[in-house]
Amino acid sequence: MPSESVFELCTQLTHRFFYYLDERRYEDLIGLMQPDAVWHRQGRALRGLDAVRAALNERSATQRIRHVVTNGFVEQADAQAATYVAYMIGYRYDDGTVREPPLTISGPLRMLLVRTRFVRQPDGRWLIGETSAVPEFEFAA
């Protein structure tokens, strides 16, 4: 298998992270993170995988959400770590019932700035050491 560039690797890991979040594949999402990872999420710093797991398990079971990640670039990189920055727009629907798509919504929920620090592990894998998604814009309903 050809080796990926740091940009490709960071992009793929970021896309997987949000896809797993959207699909409620929480253990797969957690598998992308270091044991001591920090996720700055919704005004809280989730420290470690148990805190991440607990927060994810609080999410609404009827929510349908999609995160669209774009304009990503590697801000800094060396052989052991890389920082990846991107924009993300979130779309959400939740009326308290489980519904099949397509769902009609009035527009996006918010636009956020995503910043993730990836760390190379001793076995060569890259995992999330710290990530944040800071709202830049809220969209009117």
Side-chain angles (χ1 to χ4, degrees):
M1 178 161 91
S3 66
E4 296 175 291
S5 72
V6 172
F7 170 77
E8 292 167 322
L9 183 121
C10 291
T11 300
Q12 286 295 310
L13 289 171
T14 300
H15 287 181
R16 283 181 191 277
F17 181 86
F18 287 106
Y19 177 76
Y20 293 157
L21 180 62
D22 293 347
E23 292 294 314
R24 299 186 194 299
R25 290 174 55 180
Y26 300 148
E27 291 305 313
D28 290 329
L29 180 150
I30 288 168
L32 300 176
M33 303 177 84
Q34 292 186 151
D36 62 347
V38 179
W39 184 3
H40 300 275
R41 180 178 180 266
Q42 299 177 349
R44 294 170 41 198
L46 306 174
R47 297 182 186 284
L49 303 183
D50 289 340
V52 169
R53 187 177 287 110
L56 293 175
N57 287 329
E58 292 173 1
R59 295 176 81 219
S60 169
T62 57
Q63 173 179 257
R64 166 79 77 188
I65 194 162
R66 291 293 182 235
H67 297 87
V68 178
V69 180
T70 187
N71 293 36
F73 67 96
V74 174
E75 183 177 58
Q76 173 280 326
D78 60 34
Q80 298 305 314
T83 302
Y84 184 79
V85 178
Y87 296 136
M88 178 177 63
I89 297 178
Y91 297 86
R92 180 173 64 190
Y93 181 91
D94 192 355
D95 70 351
T97 62
V98 176
R99 297 185 182 266
E100 292 297 316
L103 303 169
T104 301
I105 62 173
S106 60
L109 174 65
R110 65 182 53 105
M111 187 273 211
L112 305 100
L113 179 66
V114 175
R115 183 178 308 275
T116 304
R117 183 177 55 82
F118 293 95
V119 180
R120 184 180 214 137
Q121 306 303 297
D123 65 4
R125 293 179 306 138
W126 289 76
L127 296 177
I128 295 168
E130 187 167 6
T131 190
S132 64
V134 177
E136 293 277 325
F137 299 104
E138 297 282 341
F139 295 93

